[in-house]
Amino acid sequence: MRYQFMTAALAVTTALPFACPAAATDLEVTHWWTSGGEAAAVAEFAKAFDATGNHWVDGAIAGSGGTARPIMISRITGGDPMGATQFNHGRQAEELVQAGLMRDLTELATRDKWAEIVQPKSLLDGCTLDGKIYCVPVNIHSWQWLWLSNAAFEKAGVPVPKNWNEYVAAAPALEKAGIIPLAVGGQPWQSSGAFDVLLTAVGGTDAFLKVYRDKDAEFAAGPEVAKVFKAADDARKMAKNTNVQDWNQATNLVISGKAGGQIMGDWAQGEFQVAGQTAGKDYTCLPGLGLNEVIATGGDAFYFPLLQDAEKSKAQEALAETLLDPKTQVAFNLKKGSLPVRGDIDLKAANDCMKKGLDILAKGSVMPWTDQLLSQDTQKQKEDLFSEFFAKPDMTVEEAQKRFADIVASAD
């Protein structure tokens, strides 16, 4: 259901001229970073903002974006806006911007030359509507990763797979050893995201773009996407014994060796780091599932609701500047597992998996992600479909593909 905005009920002021805050100000910042790795990363933002003389008031909302976004939107539209809020850059805040509820950051972005430092360009494009910039991208997060437990495969007596096909072939050995082959949590966005990764890896980048960018329903119903649904059926069978909800709980199954692997974004690295595990030694990461090494330029950004309080408005500007500060970018992204949005900083401390991501980024093997291509209505329909598909083994791949093609046909 599309969110409806009652802008007439809100009294908001126009954006104030950008200036440095004159005095310490409390600023509530809402986000959905609550896992161990995420909490360690967001603490770096809070520390850097507090160093400006202001104070970060943490507004963490548990339950991931699917739970948090409606709460954030309700507060903004209901006249109780926070000082800043996380969204994924792309179309998630599109209607809030169109309703005139979010600050225009174009003046600050121009002054600080964001267009020159934020790379790739598509990140800032995802914050732009009608030529104006409304958010600060803070990282590059890509979904296209397969995380594998080296210990699980050692216990099962099979080599650690080098790609998705070898992984599927190893599933029986994992099951025989009492290990869940693939961990997929019960939240709808996880199964939907896993399918999108399979679409990119098995179908290819062009197939992904035909479906989600071009909204080609005929292609979505055709034989190329049928191959992807076959892979999704394999994933469904491999994940059938997963009994957790949250994504980080599924990651913990991999960390503990109870599951062989997980399809999850690079934010999973933060959980391995908190657990004291080392990339290449304790776990293996396969970008593009080892089939199609590409990085989606999705990620997180902060938006700033229009506020009546002049001091809080000034503090918003200080936070926006802090988020893109080179030192802050390094400290945050090393703990988050994501890649920095600045192209002018050196991540010497990056682990093996982050270096793989940086290499792919340097090669220019990038693509947009669904947050940038699909409306929230379409995303919700897709999540509902794949949640049902993974939960109901009696749903045929043919039925699922037909429903998927119908969603693509009506996508906006």
Side-chain angles (χ1 to χ4, degrees):
M1 180 179 68
R2 187 177 293 275
Y3 294 108
Q4 301 297 320
F5 300 110
M6 302 182 65
T7 58
L10 291 177
V12 295
T13 63
T14 56
L16 298 172
F18 291 110
C20 294
T25 301
D26 288 346
L27 196 71
E28 182 190 7
V29 185
T30 55
H31 59 87
W32 57 79
W33 290 324
T34 57
S35 74
E38 291 173 329
V42 78
E44 295 294 337
F45 277 158
K47 181 170 66 175
F49 181 61
D50 287 354
T52 68
N54 294 291
H55 178 57
W56 173 293
V57 178
D58 199 67
I61 301 172
S64 76
T67 300
R69 278 190 298 271
I71 297 172
M72 295 165 174
I73 292 170
S74 178
R75 282 191 53 185
I76 296 168
T77 58
D80 180 30
M82 62 295 292
T85 188
Q86 170 204 9
F87 284 114
N88 299 119
H89 52 73
R91 299 185 62 181
Q92 290 179 355
E94 186 174 74
E95 293 182 24
L96 290 168
V97 171
Q98 291 171 337
L101 301 177
M102 309 304 275
R103 264 188 93 159
D104 176 0
L105 303 175
T106 307
E107 183 181 338
L108 179 61
T110 301
R111 188 192 75 193
D112 290 352
K113 300 180 180 180
W114 292 1
E116 296 180 16
I117 64 173
V118 174
Q119 299 294 331
K121 179 179 178 294
S122 59
L123 298 175
L124 209 54
D125 290 343
C127 288
T128 304
L129 188 66
D130 297 330
K132 296 180 179 180
I133 296 171
Y134 289 93
C135 68
V136 183
V138 296
N139 60 12
I140 302 169
H141 261 321
S142 66
W143 249 100
Q144 293 90 349
W145 295 84
L146 177 59
W147 307 93
L148 300 170
S149 165
N150 291 357
F153 287 93
E154 182 178 352
K155 180 180 178 181
V158 291
V160 176
K162 295 183 178 62
N163 57 52
W164 173 258
N165 298 325
E166 292 182 7
Y167 182 36
V168 174
L174 291 168
E175 288 185 317
K176 187 176 180 181
I179 297 166
I180 301 167
L182 176 66
V184 178
Q187 296 162 318
W189 64 270
Q190 295 182 57
S191 49
S192 178
F195 175 83
D196 294 339
V197 174
L198 288 166
L199 177 58
T200 310
V202 176
T205 304
D206 289 344
F208 178 92
L209 294 174
K210 281 185 179 181
V211 172
Y212 291 136
R213 182 190 63 192
D214 303 338
K215 316 293 193 293
D216 189 334
E218 183 177 351
F219 181 83
E224 293 302 312
V225 177
K227 296 177 184 176
V228 181
F229 272 89
K230 169 61 173 65
D233 186 44
D234 289 334
R236 173 172 64 172
K237 292 171 182 174
M238 292 165 68
K240 66 180 183 294
N241 291 323
T242 309
N243 58 355
V244 298
Q245 282 290 114
D246 295 341
W247 72 269
N248 52 305
Q249 293 174 322
T251 305
N252 190 59
L253 291 176
V254 181
I255 291 171
S256 62
K258 296 177 182 177
Q262 178 189 26
I263 298 173
M264 187 51 59
D266 49 14
W267 49 90
Q269 285 195 84
E271 302 305 299
F272 287 100
Q273 182 173 320
V274 168
Q277 296 206 345
T278 302
K281 175 185 175 183
D282 302 303
Y283 65 97
T284 296
C285 55
L286 298 179
L289 309 189
L291 300 176
N292 179 22
E293 292 192 352
V294 62
I295 290 291
T297 53
D300 301 294
F302 279 88
Y303 289 76
F304 300 83
L306 282 170
L307 301 177
Q308 294 181 337
D309 187 303
E311 292 306 315
K312 290 186 183 299
S313 295
K314 291 178 182 178
Q316 287 179 324
E317 297 148 22
L319 177 57
E321 293 172 343
T322 299
L323 295 171
L324 284 178
D325 178 82
K327 291 182 180 179
T328 308
Q329 276 282 299
V330 170
F332 171 78
N333 284 291
L334 283 176
K335 290 189 175 178
K336 191 68 166 63
S338 48
L339 304 180
V341 301
R342 294 188 64 126
D344 58 354
I345 57 178
D346 184 12
L347 284 175
K348 293 180 180 178
N351 66 26
D352 287 350
C353 293
M354 188 178 287
K355 286 177 181 176
K356 288 182 181 180
L358 289 168
D359 287 344
I360 295 169
L361 190 64
K363 293 174 184 175
S365 299
V366 298
M367 59 182 288
W369 197 236
T370 55
D371 294 320
Q372 296 154 288
L373 301 174
L374 302 177
S375 71
Q376 285 303 288
D377 289 340
T378 301
Q379 287 272 47
K380 180 66 166 58
Q381 293 176 50
K382 183 166 67 73
E383 288 178 0
D384 289 346
L385 168 61
F386 287 106
S387 177
E388 185 177 352
F389 178 74
F390 271 74
K392 294 183 177 180
D394 58 341
M395 179 187 286
T396 66
V397 292
E398 293 78 14
E399 178 189 351
Q401 185 176 2
K402 182 182 183 304
R403 286 176 56 181
F404 179 67
D406 289 342
I407 291 171
V408 173
S410 63
D412 56 357

